[in-house]
Amino acid sequence: MFEELINLISSQNRKRFRQEYFIRLVTVTAWLLTFVVIAECFLLIPSYIFESQEVSAHTIELQQLSQKAATSQEQQVQAKVQALSAESTYLQGVRTLPTASMALRAILAVPRTGIKLSGFTFGSAQNTSSTTIKSMEISGIADTREDLRSYDTALSALPYVSNADLPISDYAKATTIPFTITLTGSLTP
């Protein structure tokens, strides 16, 4: 066989044949690509619909969670406001409550000749549930019974003391008498 083949087609015809071949190849390739793109678009429609539904569902869920979070935050804020309101009411009432220093100053202002005071105990009265009734125990030593009686009478006469309780057993000694007087009342001078 011959190694060289003879081409009987002229070079012009060959050029034209190649051009037509490439034009057909490009046209078929373009139509094929167009068909593939259109097919892909049609096949993506269900995915697009699914994703758009997912986005709308998540958007609704986000709005619901935001509303729940807002209401829970509002509830927390309301609880804090109520707590602060209660505390401010309490703090405003504190300045009218008797303090130990005010009561002690008032008791020390009572004349006490022959009396040496040694101890003070301030607190709420034990037999009542009211927070306005306070009690104070005053302990000390009196020189005589008369000094102790006059001091007890002076304490009983104070307008903010409703009761001055001095046990009768404290009068047992005639001189150098240890005593404990329990005062109850508002103790607010």
Side-chain angles (χ1 to χ4, degrees):
M1 298 239 193
F2 299 107
E3 289 188 21
E4 277 193 44
L5 295 174
I6 299 175
N7 195 353
L8 298 174
I9 301 174
S10 69
S11 65
Q12 255 184 344
N13 284 341
R14 270 189 290 173
K15 269 186 176 177
R16 199 176 62 211
F17 178 74
R18 278 189 185 162
Q19 284 178 349
E20 288 177 6
Y21 174 77
F22 284 118
I23 289 174
R24 286 184 189 136
L25 181 65
V26 168
T27 305
V28 168
T29 306
W31 279 108
L32 187 62
L33 284 176
T34 305
F35 175 74
V36 168
V37 168
I38 290 173
E40 283 183 9
C41 288
F42 279 122
L43 293 175
L44 285 176
I45 289 174
S47 297
Y48 175 77
I49 292 172
F50 175 76
E51 289 299 324
S52 65
Q53 288 174 349
E54 284 290 315
V55 166
S56 65
H58 287 305
T59 304
I60 292 170
E61 184 179 359
L62 178 64
Q63 289 172 350
Q64 290 172 348
L65 289 175
S66 296
Q67 289 173 352
K68 286 180 184 178
T71 57
S72 68
Q73 288 175 349
E74 287 174 6
Q75 290 172 352
Q76 289 175 351
V77 167
Q78 287 292 341
K80 287 180 182 181
V81 166
Q82 288 175 351
L84 288 174
S85 175
E87 189 159 335
S88 69
T89 303
Y90 170 75
L91 289 175
Q92 287 175 350
V94 164
R95 74 180 161 187
T96 62
L97 292 176
T99 61
S101 62
M102 286 177 22
L104 190 58
R105 265 190 241 117
I107 298 302
L108 290 176
V110 174
R112 56 183 188 282
T113 47
I115 303 291
K116 295 179 186 115
L117 300 176
S118 62
F120 300 93
T121 306
F122 184 79
S124 296
Q126 295 177 357
N127 57 357
T128 63
S129 62
S130 174
T131 58
T132 59
I133 298 178
K134 300 292 181 182
S135 71
M136 177 184 274
E137 287 185 1
I138 303 170
S139 59
I141 298 175
D143 289 341
T144 63
R145 288 182 191 150
E146 186 60 34
D147 292 338
L148 182 58
R149 187 192 63 71
S150 64
Y151 187 61
D152 183 41
T153 306
L155 289 175
S156 297
L158 294 174
Y160 45 86
V161 174
S162 60
N163 186 21
D165 184 26
L166 177 65
I168 196 76
S169 62
D170 286 350
Y171 286 112
K173 290 177 78 179
T175 59
T176 318
I177 305 167
F179 68 90
T180 301
I181 300 173
T182 303
L183 304 175
T184 56
S186 68
L187 300 180
T188 306

